[in-house]
Amino acid sequence: MVKRVSVAFSAALLAICALQPVVAQPSRARATADVDLSARLKEVQANPALEESLFKLGRRVAAVCIHCHGEGGNSLNPDIPNLAGQNPAYLLEQLRLFATGQRRNEFMEGMIKSMNSDEKVGMVLFYSAQKVVHKPSTNPTLAEKGKAVYQQQCLACHGANGLGNEKIAGIAGQQPGYLRKMLDRYRTAQSGPLAQSVMTPTVRSMNEPDLQAVIAFINSMP
Ligand code: HEC
Ligand code: HEC
């Protein structure tokens, strides 16, 4: 059985199409807030028919996200992150942080509140299965310098290919403006998840030329 997108989510879709701010629907958010998304993801992955049905649901949800995150989660806007190929656990954690207000972005918070738990799990199945489109560097000299920085400072956690793992974000091919924004947040956060992250000491010890170089390299990683 193919699931349809929920009424709340359809309303959010219409709101975006009309470029109106998304009005969160608190009652619905409460109804799905207690669902353990990680447990639901595991349950779905163990049931191929259900997985296929939620994957298709996720692809329909992605028709809304495409306006900003691009086709198949490959963003065309340097300030908006790719979602393609991102680790399922990392995506779910970001949804949780937006939903609890620990990660602030007015638009994304409204968007997430309008999605029910199966739309969230379906979206994660869809995006994690997409491939990041490789973009060769526009500044190979800078990217080459950034490769050395990456190997020293980032590789131990994010891996040789920048794909991360269940706990660590995939960053290969990520958009440069978004990387800059996130790294600056890790550098300046006073409290909350970014201030407490395992990578915060590394990023705070880096100088500006190394930061620029590592961003150029990560953006060009295949
Ligand atoms: C109007 C533009 C817009 C739309 C539409 C949109 N997003 Fe976003 N999204 C953003 C921006 C901007 C960010 C970065 C927020 C920040 O700076 O923290 C983001 C961040 C995210 C992140 C965190 C990514 C990361 O690497 O940490 C996820 C997950 C996400 N969006 C999912 C979705 C989903 C799913 C949809 C569709 C249901 C969607 N977004 C629709 C603009 C949008
Ligand atoms: C000690 C392990 C560790 C090191 C070293 C590390 N990271 Fe991370 N990074 C993480 C983890 C774990 C996350 C997931 C979010 C969190 O827990 O902060 C992450 C998240 C990120 C994100 C956010 C991704 C997104 O889509 O929002 C970026 C960007 C990033 N890392 C870049 C880097 C860069 C660049 C370096 C090297 C200069 C680096 N990291 C070094 C562990 C690490």
Side-chain angles (χ1 to χ4, degrees), residues 81 86 90 94 103 149-150 153-154 156-158 167-171 174 178-179 182-183 186 193-194 197-199 202-203 206 214 218:
Q86 188 53 273
Y90 181 75
Q94 300 318 301
R103 179 167 179 175
V149 177
Y150 182 86
Q153 311 270 28
C154 323
C157 292
H158 288 278
K167 293 243 156 49
I168 300 179
I171 51 176
Q174 191 49 282
Y178 177 72
L179 285 169
M182 285 307 284
L183 293 176
Y186 278 103
L194 299 191
S197 168
V198 286
M199 68 173 252
T202 303
V203 185
M206 289 171 73
V214 86
I218 293 168

Side-chain angles (χ1 to χ4, degrees), residues 130-152:
Q130 306 305 307
K131 293 257 176 298
V132 182
V133 176
H134 176 237
K135 302 165 289 296
S137 179
T138 50
N139 187 341
T141 316
L142 187 64
E144 195 55 33
K145 180 182 172 223
K147 183 177 185 176
V149 177
Y150 182 86
Q151 286 170 344
Q152 274 176 7

Side-chain angles (χ1 to χ4, degrees), residues 21-157:
V22 176
V23 181
Q25 306 209 352
S27 56
R28 177 144 201 121
R30 264 200 305 279
T32 59
D34 324 333
V35 176
D36 180 340
L37 293 175
S38 313
R40 179 65 177 155
L41 178 67
K42 287 206 177 73
E43 186 189 335
V44 171
Q45 283 171 327
N47 178 338
L50 183 59
E51 183 174 15
E52 194 190 332
S53 151
L54 288 203
F55 180 92
K56 287 182 179 156
L57 178 68
R59 191 164 55 200
R60 275 196 299 283
V61 165
V64 178
C65 323
I66 202 170
H67 297 295
C68 295
H69 293 284
E71 178 94 47
N74 276 289
S75 168
L76 297 175
N77 179 331
D79 294 326
I80 300 183
N82 297 332
L83 301 177
Q86 188 53 273
N87 301 322
Y90 181 75
L91 284 175
L92 285 181
E93 176 63 7
Q94 300 318 301
L95 297 186
R96 194 186 67 77
L97 293 173
F98 281 129
T100 58
Q102 284 171 282
R103 179 167 179 175
R104 302 311 310 263
N105 178 279
E106 203 180 334
F107 183 83
M108 283 307 310
E109 287 171 52
M111 186 96 249
I112 300 302
K113 283 193 183 119
S114 73
M115 291 167 79
N116 68 32
S117 48
D118 276 358
E119 285 163 347
K120 291 178 188 169
V121 169
M123 173 289 264
V124 166
L125 288 171
F126 174 74
Y127 279 123
S128 60
Q130 306 305 307
K131 293 257 176 298
V132 182
V133 176
H134 176 237
K135 302 165 289 296
S137 179
T138 50
N139 187 341
T141 316
L142 187 64
E144 195 55 33
K145 180 182 172 223
K147 183 177 185 176
V149 177
Y150 182 86
Q151 286 170 344
Q152 274 176 7
Q153 311 270 28
C154 323
L155 184 146
C157 292

